[in-house]
Amino acid sequence: MLIFKHIKSHPLIWIIATTAIIFMICSSIRHYLFQSTAFEMGIYDQVAYLISQGETPFSSFLGIHHLGNHAALAMYPLALLYKIYPSVYWLLLIQAISLTLGAWPTWSLARQAGLNESKSLAMALMYLFYPVIFNINLFDFHPEVMAIPALLGAILAAKLDKILWFTIAIIWVLACKDALSLTVAAMGIWLFFFEKKRLCGAIALTFGVGWFIIVTQGIIPHFKGGKGPGGVGRYGYLGDSVFEIAINIILKPGLVLGRIFSWETLQYLGLLLLPIIWWLSPRHLAPLIGALPVLVKNILSDIDAQRDLIHQYSLPLLPFLLLAVIATLVDREKIGQNPIKLPITNYQLPKFIITKFIIIWSLVTFLALAKYGYFWTIYLDSLDTWQATKNAITLVKTSGNVLTTANIAPHLSHRKVINLTNVNAAPKNLADFDYVLLNIRHPGWNSNQEFANSLVNQLKNNPEFKLSYDRDGVYLFNRNNK
C-alpha cells in the first residue's frame, strides 16, 4: 500500500497523465479536422474493427491480410476495446498513453543507474520533450508506439535481473511490428557483451533473430501471396529480397558508403542528436548498438520520410539515445566532472543548474522541432469543406463498400471494403461500390482535382448512381439500390 501511495503521489505520474491528455486532445483535433489519412489511421482502424467483429482482418486499403503487412499481432488484443464501442479514438488514446508512459521506465532507468531524483525527473522530461514523441502522436496511428514503454521496461528488467518480466516485455515488442525484431536482436548483443547480462542478452538475440526469420520467411509471405515484406522496395538498389539486401550490404560496400557519408545523413543525425547533444560522450555510446538496425535502415532507405522527426521510423532509436545520455551523466558525476561544458570556452556550468539546463534545452529543442505549428497552418487547409464533408459522412447509412479520398477514409473505415481514389489506378468498376464520396477542392493524397472532377462527371452520367449530396465541392453518390 505504501508503494502504491508513493507512486500515486509521485510528480511524474501527474506529468505523464497530463501529457497523455494533451496528446489525446491534439491527435483527436487533427482527426476531427480531416487531417488523418488512410495510411495509416484507416488501415489500423479497419483492421481493429474487423477483428472485433470476428471478421477476417483483411485490409482493403492494402489488399492483404493484416498479418501480411507487419505481422503486428498486438492489434488483436487492442481490438478488444472495439468490442466495448467501435471507435478510431481508441487508437488515439492507446497511442497517447503508450508514448507518454515511456517516461516512467526512463525515470526508473536513471534512478537505477544512480542519478538523483531531480536529474532522473529531468531525464523523464527529456523523453517527453523529445520532438519525435509529440510528432508521431500526430501522425495517425502506428502499432510500434505500444512497443516503446515495453522496450524501455525490458532494458530496466534486464538491469534488475527480472528474467520473466524481460521476456514478457520483448515478446510484446516483437508483437508490435516485424522490423522491431532487429532492434531486439541488437539489444541482445549489447546486453550480452557490454552489460554482461548474459541470459537476457541471449534471450533477446534468440527471440529477435528467430522472429525475424519466422516473419520475413513465413508469416508475411504466407499472408501476402508469397511476397516478402513491403519495406524491401525501399532498398531496391541493394536487391529484391531481405537476403539479397543483406548480402549486398557486405559485398558491395560502395553502395552503402555513399549513403552513409552524405549531406542527407548528416542532416538526419543532426536532427536526432540536437535534443541530447550536450550529454553524449564517445565513451558511453555502447547502448547505441541497439539502435544500429533502425539507424542503418533509415539512412539507406530511398524514402526521405525515414530521415526526419515527423514519421514513426526514428521512434525505436530513442530508448538507446536516452541510455547513452544517462550513462554519460552518471560517469561524469562519479569522476567529479560537471556534466556540461560549453563549446570553445570550455566553461563548466555550475552543478546546481545542470538539472534546469537539461529541462530548458529539451524545451528549446521541442519548440524548434515539434510540429505543433501545424494546428494553425496546414491542419486548417480544408476548413472550407469541413462542414460539407461532415454532412456527407452522416448520409453513409450502411456498411456497404465505399470509394473516397485518403483524408475521409479513416472516418468511414468500419466496413469490409473501402478504397481510395488513386490517380494512377482508376477504379475498374464503379459498380463495386455502394457509396462514392469525393472532395474536388481537396482530393487528397494520390489524387488531384482533375482526376476527382473526372470521377464526378463519370458518376453523374452513370445510371447506376444518384447524386445524394452536393455542397462546397463535396459530392456523395449512392448506388441506386442504396
Side-chain angles (χ1 to χ4, degrees):
M1 291 298 292
L2 288 175
I3 294 175
F4 181 69
K5 184 177 180 180
H6 171 71
I7 291 175
K8 284 201 305 181
S9 62
H10 197 284
L12 183 56
I13 293 298
W14 298 106
I15 292 172
I16 290 172
T18 302
T19 307
I21 292 170
I22 293 171
F23 276 22
M24 177 63 181
I25 292 172
C26 289
S27 58
S28 297
I29 291 173
R30 177 183 183 267
H31 179 70
Y32 197 64
L33 292 172
F34 293 103
Q35 294 300 318
S36 55
T37 65
F39 289 73
E40 309 279 335
M41 185 75 82
I43 290 173
Y44 291 108
D45 184 47
Q46 183 186 35
V47 163
Y49 173 76
L50 291 175
I51 293 172
S52 73
Q53 300 300 305
E55 302 282 355
T56 300
F58 187 90
S59 170
S60 60
F61 296 112
L62 298 171
I64 58 174
H65 190 284
H66 166 62
L67 293 181
N69 186 15
H70 292 298
L73 293 168
M75 289 301 298
Y76 283 85
L78 188 154
L80 293 174
L81 295 171
Y82 276 61
K83 284 187 172 293
I84 301 171
Y85 182 77
S87 172
V88 69
Y89 291 100
W90 283 120
L91 299 184
L92 300 179
L93 177 62
I94 292 298
Q95 181 158 270
I97 292 174
S98 297
L99 287 171
T100 55
L101 198 57
W104 186 261
T106 299
W107 174 85
S108 300
L109 284 165
R111 293 293 286 148
Q112 188 275 335
L115 293 181
N116 62 28
E117 179 71 30
S118 63
K119 287 189 176 66
S120 298
L121 186 59
M123 285 302 307
L125 292 173
M126 178 186 287
Y127 167 89
L128 291 172
F129 280 133
Y130 194 81
V132 76
I133 295 294
F134 180 82
N135 293 344
I136 189 60
N137 180 68
L138 295 180
F139 180 46
D140 290 356
F141 173 83
H142 300 85
E144 55 262 49
V145 300
M146 299 185 288
I148 298 307
L151 190 57
L152 286 160
I155 296 167
L156 179 62
K159 288 179 175 288
L160 297 175
D161 295 316
K162 303 292 184 181
I163 308 301
L164 178 60
W165 286 112
F166 174 80
T167 305
I168 292 171
I170 64 168
I171 289 174
W172 178 254
V173 171
L174 294 172
C176 289
K177 191 175 183 180
D178 54 349
L180 291 174
S181 57
L182 296 176
T183 298
V184 169
M187 181 181 71
I189 294 172
W190 167 65
L191 289 172
F192 191 95
F193 291 103
F194 293 87
E195 293 295 305
K196 309 305 179 185
K197 300 294 181 180
R198 307 294 191 191
L199 182 54
C200 286
I203 291 171
L205 184 56
T206 302
F207 279 39
V209 173
W211 186 242
F212 179 77
I213 294 172
I214 291 170
V215 168
T216 60
Q217 305 304 310
I219 294 177
I220 290 179
H222 174 75
F223 287 100
K224 203 177 178 181
K227 297 179 181 179
V232 168
R234 301 175 181 186
Y235 309 91
Y237 67 98
L238 290 171
D240 298 324
S241 68
V242 172
F243 180 75
E244 189 177 351
I245 290 170
I247 292 297
N248 283 333
I249 286 176
I250 299 170
L251 298 182
K252 299 179 180 179
L255 295 175
V256 174
L257 293 176
R259 295 294 181 104
I260 294 175
F261 297 103
S262 66
W263 176 243
E264 289 76 13
T265 298
L266 182 62
Q267 285 180 308
Y268 176 49
L269 294 177
L271 288 173
L272 283 176
L273 301 181
L274 183 62
I276 58 172
I277 193 66
W278 303 102
W279 302 280
L280 285 180
S281 166
R283 296 175 54 193
H284 300 287
L285 297 181
L288 298 187
I289 291 171
L292 280 178
V294 174
L295 188 62
V296 170
K297 284 195 308 174
N298 290 348
I299 289 173
L300 298 184
S301 174
D302 281 330
I303 306 299
D304 290 337
Q306 289 188 226
R307 291 179 292 276
D308 61 34
L309 299 188
I310 300 174
H311 299 84
Q312 74 276 17
Y313 304 104
S314 297
L315 188 60
L317 299 172
L318 183 54
F320 304 101
L321 292 172
L322 294 173
L323 286 169
V325 169
I326 291 171
T328 299
L329 291 173
V330 170
D331 183 61
R332 287 178 179 175
E333 283 194 354
K334 283 182 179 178
I335 64 177
Q337 183 181 14
N338 290 339
I340 301 297
K341 287 184 178 181
L342 296 183
I344 303 176
T345 64
N346 208 33
Y347 174 73
Q348 296 186 15
L349 294 177
K351 286 186 177 181
F352 68 88
I353 68 167
I354 296 302
T355 300
K356 293 180 180 178
F357 187 76
I358 292 173
I359 297 171
I360 291 171
W361 182 254
S362 298
L363 178 59
V364 167
T365 54
F366 172 85
L367 293 174
L369 299 174
K371 302 305 179 183
Y372 51 86
Y374 285 175
F375 283 99
W376 51 86
T377 53
I378 63 175
Y379 288 172
L380 302 180
D381 285 349
S382 60
L383 271 184
D384 57 328
T385 60
W386 179 85
Q387 188 59 61
T389 306
K390 292 291 289 183
N391 293 343
I393 287 173
T394 63
L395 298 176
V396 180
K397 300 291 187 181
T398 73
S399 58
N401 300 352
V402 170
L403 176 68
T404 189
T405 71
N407 297 84
I408 297 174
H411 297 261
L412 290 169
S413 44
H414 290 179
R415 61 195 68 245
K416 289 184 179 180
V417 177
I418 177 168
N419 288 341
L420 305 182
T421 53
N422 186 338
V423 69
N424 299 312
K428 294 179 180 178
N429 187 5
L430 289 171
D432 290 339
F433 302 98
D434 301 304
Y435 301 95
V436 180
L437 177 52
L438 304 171
N439 185 334
I440 61 172
R441 292 188 190 175
H442 307 286
W445 173 76
N446 236 15
S447 186
N448 57 45
Q449 291 185 345
E450 181 182 355
F451 180 69
N453 272 310
S454 173
L455 277 178
V456 168
N457 291 329
Q458 286 183 54
L459 289 159
K460 285 181 177 179
N461 296 317
N462 190 327
E464 293 188 64
F465 284 87
K466 63 179 179 181
L467 178 62
S468 58
Y469 188 83
D470 175 6
R471 177 183 168 187
D472 297 335
V474 175
Y475 294 86
L476 175 65
F477 293 88
N478 294 36
R479 211 150 52 112
N480 282 324
N481 62 341
K482 291 293 176 181

